[in-house]
Amino acid sequence: MEARRVILANGLSKNKVLERENEFLDKGVSYCATCDGPLYRKKQVLVIEDSAHAEEDVNYLSEICDKVYEIQRIKLVTARKYVQMTEEDIRLLDSPKNYKKRKTVVDDYLNIIYKMLYDKIDPAVILSYVLRMGYDGNLKTLENYIAVLAKNNFNNSALHINWAYKTEYPKEITVSKCHQILSSILRKSSGNIDTDGIKEYIEIIKNYYEIVSLLEDAYYSR
């Protein structure tokens, strides 16, 4: 066979997102809106999107179908939930419940934060300004709200956890964490007990926290 052009039509492998999907293929389940859309003329259809071009298919189906429900790139468990809905459940979607907005300590400052982010003011300056304006809630909560507003509205994902502040202790204070003390006790028999600098303070710790001595006795009494 000779030709100047070659067209490869390998077809597409569809991800199966619904139970019994193969069973109902061409009996209510279809993949091509253009090819199979006319089969559902004047009927209700549910479109589960899996590409950026799905909006065109939804617009096309809305012209020939009675009603089109659209699900945009959702997880498998959510897709199954929608498919299993009854007709009554579907009708109730047209009358969503009015949920009461939960009051938060940041509500009075959201407008200020948004406007300052819009003006491209440094988030650290925004946090300081809100504190100056009288915010007396949890600092971590305020930090999270600024980060979420920046990411969702201005595509700023550079604000990571603890972007605004971090806890630091004075040099004269030694911090011994629980897992370090436990690790020191469990490694005692090997002689390597000062990896985390616990050896110098272990007796003081025992005097303040009896549970440490009890734990050590219990471990080495076997």
Side-chain angles (χ1 to χ4, degrees):
M1 302 295 293
E2 295 182 357
R4 294 185 177 183
R5 301 289 186 272
V6 176
I7 299 176
L8 299 178
N10 296 323
L12 295 175
S13 177
K14 299 294 183 180
N15 293 325
K16 308 301 181 183
V17 300
L18 306 175
E19 293 182 4
R20 303 173 67 189
E21 185 170 334
N22 286 329
E23 180 180 344
F24 289 97
L25 184 61
D26 296 328
K27 300 176 182 178
V29 174
S30 300
Y31 298 112
C32 180
T34 304
C35 301
D36 301 330
L39 298 176
Y40 307 105
R41 185 181 300 276
K42 295 184 179 181
K43 296 182 180 180
Q44 294 188 22
V45 298
L46 173 68
V47 179
I48 300 178
E49 298 185 6
D50 64 355
S51 72
H53 305 291
E55 185 176 353
E56 300 177 8
D57 291 334
V58 171
N59 292 335
Y60 166 69
L61 291 172
S62 65
E63 296 176 359
I64 63 175
C65 297
D66 182 51
K67 199 162 191 177
V68 179
Y69 295 95
E70 179 183 6
I71 300 179
Q72 299 180 341
R73 298 190 183 189
I74 62 173
K75 295 182 179 179
L76 175 59
V77 63
T78 306
R80 288 174 176 169
K81 174 184 175 182
Y82 275 98
V83 171
Q84 294 171 359
M85 292 174 66
T86 64
E87 292 186 8
E88 178 62 23
D89 292 332
I90 296 175
R91 283 195 294 269
L92 290 176
L93 291 176
D94 294 328
S95 303
K97 296 181 180 179
N98 293 321
Y99 291 97
K100 185 178 180 180
K101 187 177 183 299
R102 181 170 61 89
K103 176 72 174 178
T104 72
V105 293
V106 188
D107 284 357
D108 295 335
Y109 306 94
L110 291 180
N111 195 39
I112 295 175
I113 296 172
Y114 181 89
K115 287 183 177 180
M116 295 181 77
L117 286 171
Y118 181 81
D119 291 334
K120 298 182 179 180
I121 295 177
D122 189 329
V125 174
I126 298 175
L127 184 139
S128 299
Y129 181 76
V130 173
L131 292 175
R132 179 76 178 273
M133 292 295 292
Y135 175 82
D136 58 357
N138 184 277
L139 186 59
K140 182 66 177 177
T141 301
L142 176 59
E143 180 192 47
N144 288 340
Y145 267 87
I146 294 176
V148 170
L149 283 174
K151 180 179 180 180
N152 293 345
N153 296 280
F154 304 99
N155 198 29
N156 183 353
S157 58
L159 302 178
H160 303 292
I161 296 175
N162 296 332
W163 62 268
Y165 70 96
K166 62 180 180 180
T167 302
E168 290 187 351
Y169 295 92
K171 294 181 179 180
E172 61 271 18
I173 294 180
T174 300
V175 179
S176 299
K177 298 182 180 180
C178 293
H179 74 274
Q180 293 173 331
I181 298 173
L182 178 60
S183 179
S184 175
I185 293 174
L186 298 180
R187 297 198 305 255
K188 185 176 181 180
S189 59
S190 66
N192 183 20
I193 66 172
D194 201 31
T195 303
D196 299 314
I198 301 298
K199 182 179 180 180
E200 183 179 353
Y201 305 101
I202 189 65
E203 295 303 324
I204 299 176
I205 294 172
K206 289 180 181 179
N207 289 334
Y208 277 92
Y209 302 98
E210 184 182 2
I211 186 63
V212 177
S213 296
L214 294 175
L215 178 61
E216 187 178 58
D217 292 342
Y219 183 75
Y220 287 102
S221 65
R222 295 181 301 168

Tab-separated table of all heavy atoms in Angstrom, residues 150-199:
chain	number	residue	atom	x	y	z
A	150	ALA	N	-5.043	35.271	49.115
A	150	ALA	CA	-4.019	35.562	48.113
A	150	ALA	C	-3.972	34.486	47.035
A	150	ALA	O	-3.834	34.779	45.845
A	150	ALA	CB	-2.655	35.693	48.797
A	151	LYS	N	-4.120	33.225	47.440
A	151	LYS	CA	-4.048	32.121	46.488
A	151	LYS	C	-5.298	32.037	45.625
A	151	LYS	O	-5.207	31.872	44.401
A	151	LYS	CB	-3.854	30.804	47.242
A	151	LYS	CG	-3.766	29.596	46.337
A	151	LYS	CD	-3.543	28.318	47.134
A	151	LYS	CE	-3.462	27.103	46.235
A	151	LYS	NZ	-3.254	25.848	47.000
A	152	ASN	N	-6.484	32.155	46.233
A	152	ASN	CA	-7.736	31.956	45.503
A	152	ASN	C	-8.107	33.135	44.610
A	152	ASN	O	-8.787	32.949	43.595
A	152	ASN	CB	-8.877	31.686	46.480
A	152	ASN	CG	-8.723	30.358	47.195
A	152	ASN	OD1	-7.932	29.515	46.789
A	152	ASN	ND2	-9.467	30.160	48.265
A	153	ASN	N	-7.683	34.344	44.988
A	153	ASN	CA	-8.112	35.528	44.240
A	153	ASN	C	-7.010	36.160	43.398
A	153	ASN	O	-7.301	36.843	42.414
A	153	ASN	CB	-8.663	36.583	45.209
A	153	ASN	CG	-9.910	36.117	45.931
A	153	ASN	OD1	-11.006	36.148	45.394
A	153	ASN	ND2	-9.747	35.682	47.173
A	154	PHE	N	-5.764	35.931	43.782
A	154	PHE	CA	-4.672	36.587	43.065
A	154	PHE	C	-3.591	35.603	42.638
A	154	PHE	O	-2.480	35.996	42.282
A	154	PHE	CB	-4.072	37.692	43.946
A	154	PHE	CG	-5.084	38.701	44.395
A	154	PHE	CD1	-5.649	38.627	45.657
A	154	PHE	CD2	-5.512	39.708	43.534
A	154	PHE	CE1	-6.602	39.545	46.070
A	154	PHE	CE2	-6.466	40.630	43.939
A	154	PHE	CZ	-7.020	40.551	45.211
A	155	ASN	N	-3.916	34.313	42.710
A	155	ASN	CA	-3.019	33.252	42.240
A	155	ASN	C	-1.632	33.343	42.873
A	155	ASN	O	-0.623	33.072	42.224
A	155	ASN	CB	-2.893	33.309	40.713
A	155	ASN	CG	-2.353	32.010	40.143
A	155	ASN	OD1	-2.552	30.941	40.712
A	155	ASN	ND2	-1.674	32.094	39.018
A	156	ASN	N	-1.608	33.736	44.132
A	156	ASN	CA	-0.341	33.835	44.861
A	156	ASN	C	-0.202	32.632	45.765
A	156	ASN	O	-0.781	32.572	46.844
A	156	ASN	CB	-0.307	35.125	45.683
A	156	ASN	CG	1.025	35.320	46.401
A	156	ASN	OD1	1.888	34.427	46.395
A	156	ASN	ND2	1.201	36.476	47.016
A	157	SER	N	0.550	31.642	45.310
A	157	SER	CA	0.726	30.415	46.092
A	157	SER	C	2.077	30.380	46.784
A	157	SER	O	2.539	29.338	47.226
A	157	SER	CB	0.596	29.198	45.175
A	157	SER	OG	1.551	29.264	44.124
A	158	ALA	N	2.731	31.551	46.875
A	158	ALA	CA	4.069	31.611	47.470
A	158	ALA	C	4.028	31.653	48.997
A	158	ALA	O	5.060	31.531	49.643
A	158	ALA	CB	4.805	32.838	46.949
A	159	LEU	N	2.832	31.854	49.571
A	159	LEU	CA	2.726	31.947	51.021
A	159	LEU	C	2.535	30.549	51.605
A	159	LEU	O	1.448	29.992	51.558
A	159	LEU	CB	1.555	32.857	51.414
A	159	LEU	CG	1.628	34.287	50.862
A	159	LEU	CD1	0.397	35.071	51.282
A	159	LEU	CD2	2.890	34.975	51.330
A	160	HIS	N	3.567	29.983	52.135
A	160	HIS	CA	3.513	28.642	52.679
A	160	HIS	C	3.142	28.691	54.163
A	160	HIS	O	2.939	29.758	54.748
A	160	HIS	CB	4.861	27.947	52.479
A	160	HIS	CG	5.294	27.887	51.051
A	160	HIS	ND1	4.632	27.118	50.115
A	160	HIS	CD2	6.295	28.502	50.381
A	160	HIS	CE1	5.208	27.262	48.941
A	160	HIS	NE2	6.223	28.092	49.073
A	161	ILE	N	3.069	27.517	54.791
A	161	ILE	CA	2.732	27.438	56.205
A	161	ILE	C	3.756	28.219	57.012
A	161	ILE	O	4.962	28.152	56.770
A	161	ILE	CB	2.701	25.962	56.664
A	161	ILE	CG1	1.584	25.224	55.912
A	161	ILE	CG2	2.490	25.853	58.162
A	161	ILE	CD1	1.547	23.745	56.208
A	162	ASN	N	3.265	28.960	57.997
A	162	ASN	CA	4.121	29.784	58.861
A	162	ASN	C	4.925	30.818	58.066
A	162	ASN	O	6.070	31.114	58.374
A	162	ASN	CB	5.086	28.904	59.673
A	162	ASN	CG	4.365	27.984	60.636
A	162	ASN	OD1	3.273	28.302	61.102
A	162	ASN	ND2	4.948	26.847	60.921
A	163	TRP	N	4.298	31.391	57.029
A	163	TRP	CA	4.996	32.378	56.213
A	163	TRP	C	5.211	33.680	56.971
A	163	TRP	O	6.160	34.427	56.705
A	163	TRP	CB	4.213	32.666	54.930
A	163	TRP	CG	2.854	33.249	55.177
A	163	TRP	CD1	1.684	32.560	55.303
A	163	TRP	CD2	2.509	34.633	55.325
A	163	TRP	NE1	0.645	33.410	55.527
A	163	TRP	CE2	1.117	34.696	55.555
A	163	TRP	CE3	3.239	35.821	55.307
A	163	TRP	CZ2	0.443	35.896	55.750
A	163	TRP	CZ3	2.570	37.012	55.502
A	163	TRP	CH2	1.187	37.054	55.708
A	164	ALA	N	4.338	33.999	57.908
A	164	ALA	CA	4.405	35.295	58.565
A	164	ALA	C	5.273	35.301	59.821
A	164	ALA	O	5.856	36.311	60.176
A	164	ALA	CB	2.995	35.779	58.920
A	165	TYR	N	5.349	34.192	60.483
A	165	TYR	CA	6.093	34.170	61.739
A	165	TYR	C	6.536	32.753	62.056
A	165	TYR	O	6.015	31.793	61.516
A	165	TYR	CB	5.247	34.694	62.899
A	165	TYR	CG	4.117	33.755	63.287
A	165	TYR	CD1	4.252	32.849	64.323
A	165	TYR	CD2	2.908	33.757	62.585
A	165	TYR	CE1	3.240	31.971	64.660
A	165	TYR	CE2	1.893	32.888	62.915
A	165	TYR	CZ	2.065	32.001	63.958
A	165	TYR	OH	1.061	31.132	64.283
A	166	LYS	N	7.475	32.630	62.914
A	166	LYS	CA	7.892	31.335	63.408
A	166	LYS	C	8.302	31.492	64.872
A	166	LYS	O	8.742	32.567	65.295
A	166	LYS	CB	9.047	30.759	62.588
A	166	LYS	CG	10.319	31.572	62.619
A	166	LYS	CD	11.411	30.900	61.771
A	166	LYS	CE	12.697	31.720	61.791
A	166	LYS	NZ	13.759	31.068	60.983
A	167	THR	N	8.155	30.429	65.628
A	167	THR	CA	8.458	30.478	67.056
A	167	THR	C	9.952	30.284	67.290
A	167	THR	O	10.532	29.310	66.812
A	167	THR	CB	7.676	29.381	67.804
A	167	THR	OG1	6.280	29.578	67.566
A	167	THR	CG2	7.949	29.448	69.297
A	168	GLU	N	10.551	31.226	67.993
A	168	GLU	CA	11.962	31.123	68.349
A	168	GLU	C	12.125	31.389	69.839
A	168	GLU	O	11.458	32.258	70.399
A	168	GLU	CB	12.805	32.133	67.547
A	168	GLU	CG	12.923	31.806	66.078
A	168	GLU	CD	13.896	32.737	65.363
A	168	GLU	OE1	14.331	33.723	66.006
A	168	GLU	OE2	14.213	32.478	64.193
A	169	TYR	N	12.993	30.630	70.469
A	169	TYR	CA	13.261	30.797	71.888
A	169	TYR	C	14.595	31.515	72.085
A	169	TYR	O	15.496	31.400	71.253
A	169	TYR	CB	13.310	29.424	72.582
A	169	TYR	CG	11.987	28.692	72.555
A	169	TYR	CD1	11.687	27.799	71.531
A	169	TYR	CD2	11.041	28.890	73.554
A	169	TYR	CE1	10.483	27.126	71.494
A	169	TYR	CE2	9.829	28.221	73.529
A	169	TYR	CZ	9.554	27.346	72.503
A	169	TYR	OH	8.354	26.676	72.473
A	170	PRO	N	14.732	32.267	73.183
A	170	PRO	CA	16.015	32.905	73.485
A	170	PRO	C	17.123	31.867	73.581
A	170	PRO	O	16.872	30.702	73.881
A	170	PRO	CB	15.749	33.573	74.838
A	170	PRO	CG	14.268	33.769	74.888
A	170	PRO	CD	13.692	32.592	74.175
A	171	LYS	N	18.350	32.281	73.322
A	171	LYS	CA	19.479	31.371	73.310
A	171	LYS	C	19.692	30.676	74.656
A	171	LYS	O	20.194	29.560	74.714
A	171	LYS	CB	20.742	32.115	72.903
A	171	LYS	CG	20.709	32.620	71.465
A	171	LYS	CD	22.006	33.340	71.111
A	171	LYS	CE	21.970	33.819	69.669
A	171	LYS	NZ	23.228	34.528	69.297
A	172	GLU	N	19.308	31.357	75.763
A	172	GLU	CA	19.544	30.768	77.082
A	172	GLU	C	18.507	29.706	77.444
A	172	GLU	O	18.598	29.071	78.499
A	172	GLU	CB	19.551	31.855	78.161
A	172	GLU	CG	18.237	32.635	78.303
A	172	GLU	CD	18.172	33.855	77.402
A	172	GLU	OE1	18.963	33.911	76.430
A	172	GLU	OE2	17.326	34.734	77.671
A	173	ILE	N	17.516	29.495	76.589
A	173	ILE	CA	16.480	28.493	76.848
A	173	ILE	C	16.740	27.261	75.983
A	173	ILE	O	16.909	27.364	74.764
A	173	ILE	CB	15.076	29.049	76.550
A	173	ILE	CG1	14.736	30.169	77.544
A	173	ILE	CG2	14.025	27.942	76.613
A	173	ILE	CD1	13.368	30.778	77.329
A	174	THR	N	16.769	26.100	76.630
A	174	THR	CA	16.943	24.841	75.916
A	174	THR	C	15.612	24.131	75.815
A	174	THR	O	14.931	23.933	76.822
A	174	THR	CB	17.948	23.925	76.647
A	174	THR	OG1	19.212	24.594	76.730
A	174	THR	CG2	18.126	22.611	75.903
A	175	VAL	N	15.223	23.765	74.618
A	175	VAL	CA	13.943	23.103	74.381
A	175	VAL	C	14.171	21.604	74.215
A	175	VAL	O	14.946	21.178	73.358
A	175	VAL	CB	13.259	23.675	73.127
A	175	VAL	CG1	11.935	22.958	72.873
A	175	VAL	CG2	13.031	25.169	73.271
A	176	SER	N	13.514	20.810	75.063
A	176	SER	CA	13.578	19.349	74.972
A	176	SER	C	12.192	18.837	74.626
A	176	SER	O	11.257	19.003	75.406
A	176	SER	CB	14.050	18.745	76.307
A	176	SER	OG	15.348	19.214	76.630
A	177	LYS	N	12.066	18.225	73.472
A	177	LYS	CA	10.772	17.745	73.026
A	177	LYS	C	10.532	16.314	73.491
A	177	LYS	O	11.474	15.564	73.752
A	177	LYS	CB	10.688	17.828	71.501
A	177	LYS	CG	10.810	19.259	70.988
A	177	LYS	CD	10.685	19.322	69.471
A	177	LYS	CE	10.798	20.758	68.976
A	177	LYS	NZ	10.681	20.844	67.505
A	178	CYS	N	9.249	15.956	73.563
A	178	CYS	CA	8.858	14.638	74.092
A	178	CYS	C	9.518	13.499	73.318
A	178	CYS	O	10.016	12.541	73.905
A	178	CYS	CB	7.341	14.492	74.054
A	178	CYS	SG	6.458	15.595	75.166
A	179	HIS	N	9.497	13.594	71.990
A	179	HIS	CA	10.055	12.491	71.200
A	179	HIS	C	11.566	12.378	71.393
A	179	HIS	O	12.141	11.295	71.286
A	179	HIS	CB	9.704	12.675	69.722
A	179	HIS	CG	10.473	13.756	69.034
A	179	HIS	ND1	10.077	15.077	69.043
A	179	HIS	CD2	11.641	13.720	68.321
A	179	HIS	CE1	10.947	15.805	68.360
A	179	HIS	NE2	11.903	15.016	67.912
A	180	GLN	N	12.230	13.497	71.703
A	180	GLN	CA	13.666	13.452	71.961
A	180	GLN	C	13.960	12.740	73.281
A	180	GLN	O	14.903	11.945	73.378
A	180	GLN	CB	14.238	14.872	71.997
A	180	GLN	CG	14.182	15.586	70.646
A	180	GLN	CD	14.606	17.036	70.746
A	180	GLN	OE1	14.430	17.669	71.788
A	180	GLN	NE2	15.168	17.557	69.673
A	181	ILE	N	13.139	13.023	74.303
A	181	ILE	CA	13.310	12.370	75.612
A	181	ILE	C	13.053	10.878	75.489
A	181	ILE	O	13.814	10.044	75.997
A	181	ILE	CB	12.366	13.004	76.650
A	181	ILE	CG1	12.719	14.480	76.839
A	181	ILE	CG2	12.437	12.254	77.974
A	181	ILE	CD1	11.747	15.245	77.708
A	182	LEU	N	11.975	10.524	74.780
A	182	LEU	CA	11.652	9.114	74.596
A	182	LEU	C	12.757	8.403	73.824
A	182	LEU	O	13.175	7.294	74.190
A	182	LEU	CB	10.325	8.980	73.847
A	182	LEU	CG	9.871	7.555	73.522
A	182	LEU	CD1	9.693	6.750	74.807
A	182	LEU	CD2	8.574	7.571	72.717
A	183	SER	N	13.251	9.040	72.777
A	183	SER	CA	14.322	8.443	71.987
A	183	SER	C	15.577	8.253	72.832
A	183	SER	O	16.277	7.247	72.714
A	183	SER	CB	14.622	9.336	70.775
A	183	SER	OG	15.675	8.802	70.009
A	184	SER	N	15.852	9.193	73.709
A	184	SER	CA	17.028	9.094	74.574
A	184	SER	C	16.921	7.904	75.512
A	184	SER	O	17.883	7.170	75.733
A	184	SER	CB	17.175	10.385	75.380
A	184	SER	OG	18.226	10.300	76.313
A	185	ILE	N	15.729	7.676	76.057
A	185	ILE	CA	15.513	6.543	76.965
A	185	ILE	C	15.666	5.225	76.223
A	185	ILE	O	16.314	4.287	76.700
A	185	ILE	CB	14.117	6.636	77.616
A	185	ILE	CG1	14.057	7.847	78.555
A	185	ILE	CG2	13.766	5.357	78.372
A	185	ILE	CD1	12.681	8.109	79.124
A	186	LEU	N	15.118	5.139	75.042
A	186	LEU	CA	15.163	3.891	74.279
A	186	LEU	C	16.560	3.570	73.774
A	186	LEU	O	16.874	2.401	73.537
A	186	LEU	CB	14.191	3.979	73.095
A	186	LEU	CG	12.711	4.172	73.446
A	186	LEU	CD1	11.870	4.234	72.187
A	186	LEU	CD2	12.217	3.074	74.364
A	187	ARG	N	17.421	4.587	73.637
A	187	ARG	CA	18.776	4.366	73.141
A	187	ARG	C	19.810	4.271	74.266
A	187	ARG	O	20.990	4.125	74.017
A	187	ARG	CB	19.193	5.511	72.209
A	187	ARG	CG	18.369	5.637	70.947
A	187	ARG	CD	19.135	6.479	69.927
A	187	ARG	NE	19.497	7.771	70.492
A	187	ARG	CZ	18.893	8.921	70.181
A	187	ARG	NH1	17.890	8.904	69.336
A	187	ARG	NH2	19.292	10.051	70.714
A	188	LYS	N	19.352	4.333	75.505
A	188	LYS	CA	20.274	4.401	76.638
A	188	LYS	C	21.220	3.216	76.696
A	188	LYS	O	22.419	3.358	76.982
A	188	LYS	CB	19.486	4.500	77.946
A	188	LYS	CG	20.361	4.690	79.177
A	188	LYS	CD	19.503	4.868	80.418
A	188	LYS	CE	20.383	5.079	81.644
A	188	LYS	NZ	19.571	5.267	82.879
A	189	SER	N	20.709	2.025	76.412
A	189	SER	CA	21.527	0.823	76.519
A	189	SER	C	22.670	0.813	75.516
A	189	SER	O	23.673	0.134	75.721
A	189	SER	CB	20.663	-0.424	76.321
A	189	SER	OG	20.048	-0.386	75.047
A	190	SER	N	22.547	1.558	74.438
A	190	SER	CA	23.604	1.586	73.428
A	190	SER	C	24.689	2.593	73.769
A	190	SER	O	25.715	2.654	73.101
A	190	SER	CB	23.016	1.919	72.058
A	190	SER	OG	22.501	3.244	72.056
A	191	GLY	N	24.455	3.390	74.816
A	191	GLY	CA	25.423	4.392	75.220
A	191	GLY	C	25.324	5.687	74.444
A	191	GLY	O	25.948	6.688	74.776
A	192	ASN	N	24.513	5.707	73.391
A	192	ASN	CA	24.349	6.901	72.567
A	192	ASN	C	23.091	7.649	73.025
A	192	ASN	O	22.033	7.546	72.422
A	192	ASN	CB	24.228	6.497	71.099
A	192	ASN	CG	24.127	7.709	70.188
A	192	ASN	OD1	24.509	8.803	70.575
A	192	ASN	ND2	23.606	7.484	68.995
A	193	ILE	N	23.219	8.383	74.117
A	193	ILE	CA	22.034	9.010	74.700
A	193	ILE	C	22.060	10.524	74.592
A	193	ILE	O	21.162	11.192	75.087
A	193	ILE	CB	21.875	8.610	76.184
A	193	ILE	CG1	23.047	9.188	76.990
A	193	ILE	CG2	21.778	7.119	76.342
A	193	ILE	CD1	22.878	9.026	78.490
A	194	ASP	N	23.059	11.081	73.956
A	194	ASP	CA	23.147	12.537	73.937
A	194	ASP	C	23.044	13.129	72.529
A	194	ASP	O	23.519	14.223	72.287
A	194	ASP	CB	24.469	12.979	74.577
A	194	ASP	CG	24.400	14.435	75.038
A	194	ASP	OD1	23.300	14.874	75.399
A	194	ASP	OD2	25.443	15.111	75.015
A	195	THR	N	22.423	12.383	71.632
A	195	THR	CA	22.293	12.863	70.260
A	195	THR	C	21.532	14.177	70.199
A	195	THR	O	21.853	15.065	69.422
A	195	THR	CB	21.561	11.820	69.391
A	195	THR	OG1	22.282	10.591	69.463
A	195	THR	CG2	21.488	12.282	67.950
A	196	ASP	N	20.502	14.330	71.035
A	196	ASP	CA	19.672	15.527	71.030
A	196	ASP	C	19.998	16.461	72.197
A	196	ASP	O	19.219	17.357	72.512
A	196	ASP	CB	18.186	15.140	71.076
A	196	ASP	CG	17.786	14.304	69.870
A	196	ASP	OD1	18.165	14.688	68.757
A	196	ASP	OD2	17.128	13.274	70.055
A	197	GLY	N	21.133	16.243	72.869
A	197	GLY	CA	21.510	17.104	73.978
A	197	GLY	C	20.659	16.912	75.220
A	197	GLY	O	20.505	17.833	76.025
A	198	ILE	N	20.091	15.723	75.395
A	198	ILE	CA	19.201	15.459	76.530
A	198	ILE	C	19.980	15.087	77.787
A	198	ILE	O	19.549	15.361	78.901
A	198	ILE	CB	18.209	14.314	76.170
A	198	ILE	CG1	17.387	14.703	74.951
A	198	ILE	CG2	17.290	14.008	77.343
A	198	ILE	CD1	16.526	15.922	75.155
A	199	LYS	N	21.139	14.475	77.633
A	199	LYS	CA	21.884	13.926	78.767
A	199	LYS	C	22.102	14.957	79.866
A	199	LYS	O	21.966	14.662	81.064
A	199	LYS	CB	23.228	13.383	78.287
A	199	LYS	CG	24.071	12.747	79.379
A	199	LYS	CD	25.379	12.209	78.815
A	199	LYS	CE	26.221	11.574	79.925
A	199	LYS	NZ	27.498	11.036	79.383
